[in-house]
Amino acid sequence: MSGVGPVEPGEGTHIQQPSPAPQFTPQRGRPAPLGRLLGEHRRAAVAAGVTAALLAGGGYLYATRPQPPPAAAPPYPSQVVDIRYLSRTVSPDPADFRFDVALSVLSGPPVTVTAISQPYAGLSVTASPRPPFRTEAGSSRKVTITLRATECGKIPGNAGLPFLDVTLRNTRAIEMHSFILGSRYARDLSQARQAACGPK
């Protein structure tokens, strides 16, 4: 018998439906590979950028900060040393003229006296304490100086303003400075010269 309608499937037969085309649905919360890479390093990149900006700003501020003025140079030793005649002292030798002076350092670094001399060829000079000796700023010391007549003909009979030549040293300079000790020193020196050498 020939059938007119469609062939009926047999028992146990299934018709396979075509499977739907796959659709790409991005999952939320899971970035694509490049996005994931940028996301993972975004904080580090921001931190590095902020650090670089801070370092650059700090370097600029340090380089352009106001500079303190340079420290003033210490004074020359002759500007801060004062020598004052005190008095004549007794000497066991009549050929000697012994006297005391006060040496003061007013300010600045310590000053060292390296030599003491005087202008007359007929007199030798010794000092106690013996040079070199050092004196701190703001302090004073007594120095005993002895002049000995070695050649009376080379000592003036009446020196007007005799002086001492003192060599001074501090961290700024070494200087030889002449200190005029005043009229009392000139009078005492003249009397000592007459006692040692007789009237001229």
Side-chain angles (χ1 to χ4, degrees):
M1 182 175 184
S2 61
V4 195
V7 178
E8 296 289 331
E11 194 174 323
T13 304
H14 294 72
I15 298 174
Q16 186 170 1
Q17 299 291 330
S19 40
Q23 294 182 352
F24 177 72
T25 308
Q27 298 180 2
R28 296 192 180 272
R30 224 174 141 193
L34 181 58
R36 184 171 62 246
L37 182 64
L38 291 175
E40 289 174 357
H41 296 289
R42 181 176 294 143
R43 287 185 183 173
V46 169
V50 169
T51 302
L54 288 175
L55 287 174
Y60 174 77
L61 288 176
Y62 181 79
T64 59
R65 75 194 187 284
Q67 297 293 328
Y76 286 97
S78 62
Q79 295 173 335
V80 294
V81 170
D82 178 61
I83 295 182
R84 185 168 46 90
Y85 181 71
L86 296 177
S87 63
R88 182 175 182 177
T89 60
V90 177
S91 173
D93 190 329
D96 291 348
F97 170 43
R98 182 176 294 172
F99 60 95
D100 293 333
V101 297
L103 183 146
S104 303
V105 178
L106 308 177
S107 62
V111 175
T112 300
V113 173
T114 61
I116 298 175
S117 62
Q118 53 76 48
Y120 304 128
L123 291 173
S124 66
V125 180
T126 57
S128 176
R130 188 174 179 177
F133 58 85
R134 176 176 162 155
T135 306
E136 300 288 332
S139 64
S140 180
R141 74 164 64 223
K142 184 173 78 172
V143 182
T144 300
I145 296 174
T146 302
L147 303 180
R148 171 169 289 234
T150 55
E151 287 188 64
C152 289
K154 294 184 178 180
I155 307 171
N158 189 11
L161 288 173
F163 54 86
L164 283 180
D165 290 325
V166 183
T167 304
L168 306 167
R169 181 184 73 221
N170 69 1
T171 56
R172 174 77 181 267
I174 298 175
E175 295 180 295
M176 187 175 80
H177 191 73
S178 297
F179 290 90
I180 297 174
L181 300 183
S183 58
R184 280 196 311 121
Y185 171 69
R187 183 187 65 242
D188 290 349
L189 177 62
S190 180
Q191 290 173 357
R193 188 252 174 229
Q194 289 182 20
C197 300
K200 190 169 182 180

